[in-house]
Amino acid sequence: MNFTKDQHLNDDQIICAIVEASDLPDTVRKHLAGCPQCRMAVEQFEEELSTLGKLAHHFSPKPETQITLPVEKTTQSIFSAWKWQFSFGAAFSAVLVFVMVWWAGTTNTAINGGPNNLSGELFEDEELMTEISSLSENALPKFYLDITGEPDPETEDDFMEFVNPSNEDTTLSLKNNRRKGVKLC
Amino acid sequence: MWTAFAGTVKIERMTQEKSDKQLSIDKSEVTVLVHKARTGNRFAFNQLIHIFQNDVFKMVFYRTRSHMDAEDLTQDIFLQAFKNLSKLKSIEKFKSWLFSIAINRIRDFYRKKKFRDMFSTELKTEEEMNVREKHTHHPDVLDDIYKKDFWRKVESILKKLSAMEKEVFTLRFMDNLNINEISGVLGKSESTIKTHLYRALGKFKKESSLLQQFKEVLQ
Ligand SMILES: [Zn+2]
């Protein structure tokens, strides 16, 4: 660029001085440094731009809302950790109860079990079978048998004898007596 | 008012060096906070919110001109940043990364808005829109008039720029990001950013008449 000492900066050069002064050619920069007129032109334009920024700032409102960040994740993680611990605790308790029940059963068998207890078990079996037999004859308890009038296997024979006394033997004896000539009253 | 602002620029230039030092400290502080936040330190992320909320909010407001939408979108942007912080490759570029999330969120907002408007038969006047906006009306009526006029003028200037020029210009002179940060936000090379900025400034400079009117309104 041809630039003489007497030549002042044009508009483009003034703009260039504002955008990036170091981009100006050396001759122009030297002139700018020594020419109050050109320096004033640059400064004046800079001032206008600076004022524009200041007025924009002045004629705009200020923020009034406080910025709120989302809920802290650590609170959530504490909660989820607590939930995880609770679940783990519940599962552990269930397993513990199961183990204890199983252990108690095993221990009981070990203490009471064995060949010595065989006769006891047989007796219990017999009792059970007796009970099953009586139930198969009549499932109702004795008290209900009285109410319902269901025949009680124990009292049935006595009752029937009372209601309808057996005379089969008497008849037979009378016939025998007549045959033998025994006098009846 | 414009003159008053211009008068303060010289003083600001004198303190520029001090500001740069402050900025470098802030950057290292930000890097430490980002590093802590990445390890799940919520307090560190809240500190980052404290540092950048205003910038992000203003950035959204410049592009939506709606207080309510700016509030909602700013909340969304920080939530997105919080969720995706582990994906940030270079913690030194947190600001660019945060602003790129904001840019994408705003684009998404406009896409949805366009879609909603296609099915909306309701036509809203400017006044109705203003009624919806909370705190739109400044207690100072004159300031409120200035405010509306200012944004109207800015809008008319920015309309002359292409989408990319507008974005680069806004990021540079309204959001106060440097070339390197803009490059990170938009995912373009620094030379591309400079080219767009150069063109944008050329168009902006030609709107001197609008700027003159604008100065008069503020005076
Ligand atoms: Zn000159």
Side-chain angles (χ1 to χ4, degrees):
Chain A
M1 186 188 282
N2 294 323
F3 192 83
T4 60
K5 199 182 175 184
D6 301 325
Q7 208 175 345
H8 293 297
L9 271 70
N10 61 28
D11 280 355
D12 288 349
Q13 285 163 335
I14 288 169
I15 289 167
C16 190
I18 287 166
V19 174
E20 189 67 84
S22 60
D23 288 349
L24 284 169
D26 286 345
T27 47
V28 180
R29 260 191 292 156
K30 276 175 189 170
H31 175 87
L32 187 62
C35 178
Q37 195 182 324
C38 288
R39 252 201 344 265
M40 189 178 277
V42 172
E43 281 174 10
Q44 209 170 350
F45 194 33
E46 270 183 332
E47 280 170 12
E48 282 181 5
L49 292 163
S50 172
T51 306
L52 174 73
K54 283 182 173 68
L55 286 169
H57 193 272
H58 178 77
F59 286 129
S60 56
K62 286 177 183 172
E64 287 166 2
T65 311
Q66 199 180 349
I67 306 289
T68 46
L69 296 176
V71 180
E72 206 165 352
K73 272 191 174 180
T74 47
T75 316
Q76 232 173 359
S77 64
I78 285 168
F79 181 67
S80 58
W82 180 82
K83 273 206 313 194
W84 182 84
Q85 281 172 358
F86 179 77
S87 307
F88 180 77
F92 181 75
S93 305
V95 169
L96 195 69
V97 167
F98 176 77
V99 167
M100 279 173 73
V101 167
W102 177 78
W103 181 78
T106 313
T107 315
N108 197 32
T109 309
I111 294 165
N112 302 323
N116 296 338
N117 201 36
L118 198 62
S119 58
E121 276 183 12
L122 283 168
F123 178 72
E124 278 177 8
D125 287 348
E126 262 178 42
E127 268 194 337
L128 185 67
M129 286 311 291
T130 312
E131 203 176 327
I132 289 166
S133 302
S134 66
L135 280 170
S136 65
E137 281 172 12
N138 203 315
L140 287 171
K142 198 170 186 302
F143 173 74
Y144 291 108
L145 286 171
D146 292 342
I147 295 168
T148 55
E150 281 288 320
D152 184 359
E154 288 175 20
T155 57
E156 187 187 17
D157 293 341
D158 295 341
F159 180 74
M160 288 308 290
E161 188 62 31
F162 170 73
V163 173
N164 187 17
S166 165
N167 54 5
E168 191 180 337
D169 291 339
T170 315
T171 314
L172 281 171
S173 60
L174 275 173
K175 277 179 183 176
N176 289 335
N177 287 341
R178 273 181 199 147
R179 275 181 210 148
K180 289 173 186 175
V182 178
K183 205 179 173 180
L184 299 174
C185 59
Chain B
M1 199 164 181
W2 177 272
T3 321
F5 271 116
T8 59
V9 172
K10 276 186 183 176
I11 300 161
E12 279 161 10
R13 274 179 192 282
M14 286 165 74
T15 56
Q16 189 65 42
E17 203 179 325
K18 192 184 172 185
S19 300
D20 287 345
K21 277 180 188 171
Q22 186 66 42
L23 198 69
S24 67
I25 294 165
D26 288 346
K27 271 184 182 174
S28 64
E29 274 178 12
V30 167
T31 307
V32 171
L33 287 170
V34 173
H35 183 73
K36 283 181 183 175
R38 270 161 74 100
T39 60
N41 188 328
R42 289 167 72 90
F43 179 76
F45 195 84
N46 278 318
Q47 290 283 98
L48 290 169
I49 290 173
H50 181 73
I51 294 168
F52 291 108
Q53 186 180 0
N54 199 43
D55 287 347
V56 171
F57 173 84
K58 299 262 182 192
M59 184 214 185
V60 178
F61 180 80
Y62 296 156
R63 287 153 180 85
T64 61
R65 309 278 160 79
S66 158
H67 188 136
M68 283 167 74
D69 290 335
E71 294 276 15
D72 293 345
L73 289 170
T74 305
Q75 168 81 27
D76 285 356
I77 290 158
F78 278 104
L79 284 187
Q80 219 172 320
F82 180 70
K83 284 177 189 168
N84 297 297
L85 195 60
S86 58
K87 292 176 189 169
L88 173 63
K89 286 172 187 171
S90 173
I91 56 172
E92 296 81 18
K93 293 192 173 178
F94 175 77
K95 191 179 175 183
S96 295
W97 179 74
L98 183 66
F99 273 63
S100 69
I101 290 174
I103 291 276
N104 286 324
R105 189 65 193 84
I106 293 162
R107 278 178 191 162
D108 189 43
F109 166 80
Y110 273 111
R111 264 198 294 271
K112 283 177 183 170
K113 193 174 182 287
K114 208 174 177 182
F115 185 75
R116 276 201 309 270
D117 291 349
M118 274 170 67
F119 295 97
S120 174
T121 52
E122 199 182 336
L123 287 170
K124 291 184 181 75
T125 62
E126 197 181 341
E127 258 180 54
E128 281 174 333
M129 291 290 280
N130 286 339
V131 168
R132 277 182 69 244
E133 285 296 313
K134 58 171 185 176
H135 307 293
T136 300
H137 298 280
H138 200 274
D140 187 351
V141 181
L142 197 65
D143 197 45
D144 200 40
I145 294 165
Y146 281 155
K147 184 181 177 179
K148 280 182 184 170
D149 209 26
F150 168 76
W151 287 115
R152 211 170 283 137
K153 297 285 186 249
V154 169
E155 188 60 40
S156 64
I157 292 168
L158 295 178
K159 264 183 187 172
K160 306 272 193 280
L161 314 181
S162 72
M164 193 62 173
E165 287 164 5
K166 188 177 167 179
E167 196 57 82
V168 170
F169 180 85
T170 311
L171 282 167
R172 179 69 190 91
F173 297 107
M174 287 164 81
D175 299 313
N176 294 313
L177 266 65
N178 61 38
I179 304 281
N180 181 261
E181 286 169 335
I182 298 168
S183 164
V185 171
L186 300 175
K188 306 275 180 191
S189 69
E190 285 192 24
S191 62
T192 305
I193 300 300
K194 282 178 194 174
T195 306
H196 287 295
L197 197 57
Y198 185 86
R199 284 178 194 158
L201 284 172
K203 289 177 185 175
F204 179 79
K205 208 170 192 307
K206 279 175 190 166
E207 301 300 314
S208 57
S209 58
L210 279 172
L211 198 66
Q212 195 60 43
Q213 284 175 351
F214 176 59
K215 281 178 189 174
E216 283 167 9
V217 168
L218 288 173
Q219 280 168 357

